[in-house]
Structure formats: C-alpha cells, structure tokens
Amino acid sequence: MRTLDSRHTVAVLVLPGVLPLEFGIATQIFGMEPQYELVVCADDQAGPVLGPGYMITTDSGLEALTIADTVIIPGYEDVDARPSVQVVDALRAAHARGARLVSICTAAFVLAEAGLLDGRPATTHWQNADQLRRRFPKIDVQPDRLYVDDGDILTSAGVTAGVDLCLHLIRVDKGATAANTRARVLVAPPQRVGGQSQFIEQLRPEASGESLAPLRTWMLGNLARPHTVDDLARRAHMSRRTMLRRFREETGTSPMAWLVDARIDKARQLLETTDTPIERIGRVTGLGAPASVRAAFHRHLGTSPQGYRDMFLHRAMVASGLRTGSEPSDVA
C-alpha cells in the first residue's frame, strides 16, 4: 500500500440503494483533503446509481478498487440484496493486495457477504446488528460500538458514526491536528472513540409477552425503590423460579438486568431534558450515588453522565423548547 508521502487514493464504492447521507460523509471528508485523491466508483454493469429523488454518476467502474489504498463503502437501504459477484470479487482482491476496507452503517453486510468479516469484530447500525449476527454467525458483532478498527478492515455504525470513523482514518494517517482541523470544518466532535456506545432509543428490551406486563409497569413507576427477585416474585404472585423463567421468556433477560437498563433509560431522559444534578438523578432512578451512576454509564454506554448530557442536552432543548432547571418528581 502506498503511504501518504504520495497521494493516497480513496475509492468510494456506491452500491444500489446507497444512503445519500453516508455517501456524502465519505466524499465530503476525503474530497476536501489535499493529500487524498478521491474516486467514486460502482459496479461496471450497474450504470448510474438511483435513489428516491437522486442519481449518482460515478467516475469509474470496479477497476478503481485495483489501485485504491482505501475503499469506503457507504451504507445502502436493502441489506437483504446480494451484491454482484463482480463486487464481491473486487473487494476480496482489493483486500488481498493490502487495501484498507471501510464500511459505513449497513455496508458491513457487503463485507460480510464477501467473507471478509469472518472471525473479526465488526459493527453496523444498531437496528441491523441482530440481523448481521443471525446471517453471519462467524462475525463477532459488537452492536454497542460506534466503530471498530480491526487494522485493515474498519466498520462503523450509522450516520454520525461514519463521520467519527472517517475522522479516525485521518487521525491515523495524518495525525490529530489534521483530524481536528477537519472536524472544525464539519462542526463535528473532534474525537469520539470507537468504544463509545451507539445511543439506541432505549436499553431495556421490548417485551414479547404480556403476563408480566403489570409487574414491569410497576417497576418502571418505582425505579427509586430497592428491589429483590423475591419481592418481585411475590408481587407477581408467582414462585421465584416461575417468575424468573417467564420474565426471561418475555424479555430475553433477567428482572434485575432489565431493571438496570430501565434505570439508565430514565437517567438518560433526565440528562437530555433537564439540568438536574447527577446526585438527584441517581436517587430518583435508583442508580444510587454519583459514583454508581458514572460506573453504570461507562459500563453500558461507554461515556460519563456529564459527557452524555453535553452531547444531548442542547439538541433536546432546541427540539422541544424546554428550558433548563426543570426537576423530576421523586417518583421515577
């Protein structure tokens, strides 16, 4: 592979149904960097790539992958669509000769189809992570990661995580100063490490059964109270063993694990919409002392409560018209 002493060629491979935002991330970030040479390519037989309200014409066919130092594949809509044999062969050949392969969002599926993620850690958008794991069980799917750098193959979650990964590539290639400069131009955080979690809508799993729905509703209304498995079983009018079995059947997890996720979900809501102190949030959600709240956030989200608040509070206020200073009730 060529080094950045010469122009580093980045080939953006456009697949049918490409998501325009993910495509724009790759082309804008690397198209504006003078030490990179950007080429947009597609399957020779595909013609212009069409989407709802847009058409992308490309500079090259798959021959661009024979010279690219880095191949970036933006996400695409239909993850069930199989890539062409030509695309799969071109990706395998590019990897074999030493090119760096990068997927954004759902493009992890095309790398998986090529067998290039077998035995490797990888991520994709959290909504598609279970499907990636089911279809390709040899992959170490890590759904809570923003991106995974596995050396010559890198994968990211959706949309803004693609920005994080592209900035990470610049940081690896050219150093922190260059990456921070590009981040300022994009008005993006200069560095979110790949180990930081994707911020899914809620941590607690949706239930597939209703027999323990009243118990779960009561738990959500009483997050601040201490709970034990025996107490929950008595409230459900079941034996401990039966309650544990049914809870797992309906949610896929244990009552106490579900409770922790529910408490963190409530804490996230308060961090996004209020300026309530961490100490009070720990009390009303049942997470406990500030140190316990911080430990729970680092363990489940890969960031601190304050880091989470800094990232989301302003956006939530602008969107909803809320003002800081509102306090939650003592009943979570």
Side-chain angles (χ1 to χ4, degrees):
M1 181 183 295
R2 286 176 287 172
T3 69
L4 289 187
D5 293 334
S6 60
R7 295 262 284 180
H8 182 103
T9 301
V10 174
V12 178
L13 175 58
V14 181
L15 298 175
V18 64
L19 299 171
L21 184 53
E22 277 84 345
F23 170 74
I25 287 169
T27 54
Q28 181 172 354
I29 290 178
F30 291 99
M32 299 175 67
E33 285 290 331
Q35 293 189 47
Y36 293 95
E37 180 178 352
L38 180 72
V39 58
V40 178
C41 64
D43 189 337
D44 288 338
Q45 299 178 358
V49 181
L50 304 176
Y54 68 86
M55 179 179 71
I56 297 174
T57 56
T58 58
D59 304 318
S60 172
L62 294 176
E63 65 272 10
L65 273 60
T66 65
I67 62 170
D69 300 293
T70 296
V71 178
I72 300 179
I73 315 167
Y76 53 94
E77 291 183 2
D78 186 4
V79 297
D80 292 322
R82 298 297 194 265
S84 70
V85 173
Q86 291 82 2
V87 166
V88 168
D89 288 346
L91 288 172
R92 289 172 177 167
H95 179 253
R97 67 171 179 79
R100 180 172 59 183
L101 304 186
V102 179
S103 70
I104 299 176
C105 194
T106 53
F109 281 82
V110 73
L111 294 180
E113 290 283 358
L116 296 171
L117 296 180
D118 288 355
R120 288 177 175 262
T123 193
T124 187
H125 194 289
W126 62 269
Q127 290 180 315
N128 302 101
D130 286 343
Q131 184 177 0
L132 183 65
R133 181 184 290 112
R134 287 194 304 269
R135 282 176 53 184
F136 305 99
K138 293 182 180 179
I139 301 174
D140 176 15
V141 179
Q142 301 186 358
D144 59 344
R145 299 285 296 276
L146 291 179
Y147 59 84
V148 174
D149 182 346
D150 196 37
D152 56 345
I153 297 183
L154 302 90
T155 55
S156 84
V159 194
T160 56
V163 176
D164 297 318
L165 179 52
C166 289
L167 291 174
H168 171 73
L169 293 174
I170 294 176
R171 185 173 294 105
V172 169
D173 292 340
K174 299 169 58 180
T177 299
N180 292 344
T181 298
R182 177 55 53 213
R184 283 195 294 272
V185 173
L186 296 170
V187 196
Q191 183 174 15
R192 292 198 297 168
V193 296
Q196 182 171 316
S197 293
Q198 299 183 46
F199 295 123
I200 63 177
E201 292 177 2
Q202 66 177 35
L203 291 178
R204 70 179 189 275
E206 295 289 350
S208 59
E210 295 298 323
S211 69
L212 289 178
L215 176 64
R216 290 190 295 271
T217 299
W218 181 84
M219 292 167 69
L220 289 175
N222 293 272
L223 294 177
R225 296 178 57 164
H227 299 287
T228 68
V229 172
D230 289 334
D231 289 339
L232 296 175
R234 281 191 292 270
R235 177 163 288 275
H237 305 292
M238 296 177 182
S239 69
R240 174 190 175 100
R241 181 176 180 180
T242 299
M243 190 275 294
L244 286 171
R245 176 175 54 80
R246 289 194 183 177
F247 203 100
R248 186 170 292 277
E249 287 174 350
E250 294 185 10
T251 67
T253 189
S254 70
M256 304 316 290
W258 189 92
L259 180 62
V260 171
D261 287 345
R263 284 168 166 165
I264 295 174
D265 285 338
K266 181 63 176 180
R268 292 166 66 196
Q269 176 190 346
L270 297 176
L271 288 167
E272 291 178 20
T273 59
T274 76
D275 62 356
T276 304
I278 304 300
E279 181 178 6
R280 182 167 173 77
I281 288 177
R283 186 166 66 251
V284 301
T285 62
L287 287 173
S292 298
V293 179
R294 287 191 291 271
F297 266 69
H298 278 291
R299 184 166 57 252
H300 291 266
L301 298 173
T303 189
S304 67
Q306 188 59 52
Y308 188 94
R309 167 170 274 161
D310 291 343
M311 192 174 302
F312 284 92
L313 179 59
H314 177 70
R315 188 179 72 178
M317 287 180 177
V318 171
S320 62
L322 292 176
R323 297 181 180 179
T324 58
S326 58
E327 290 283 341
S329 66
D330 283 326
V331 179

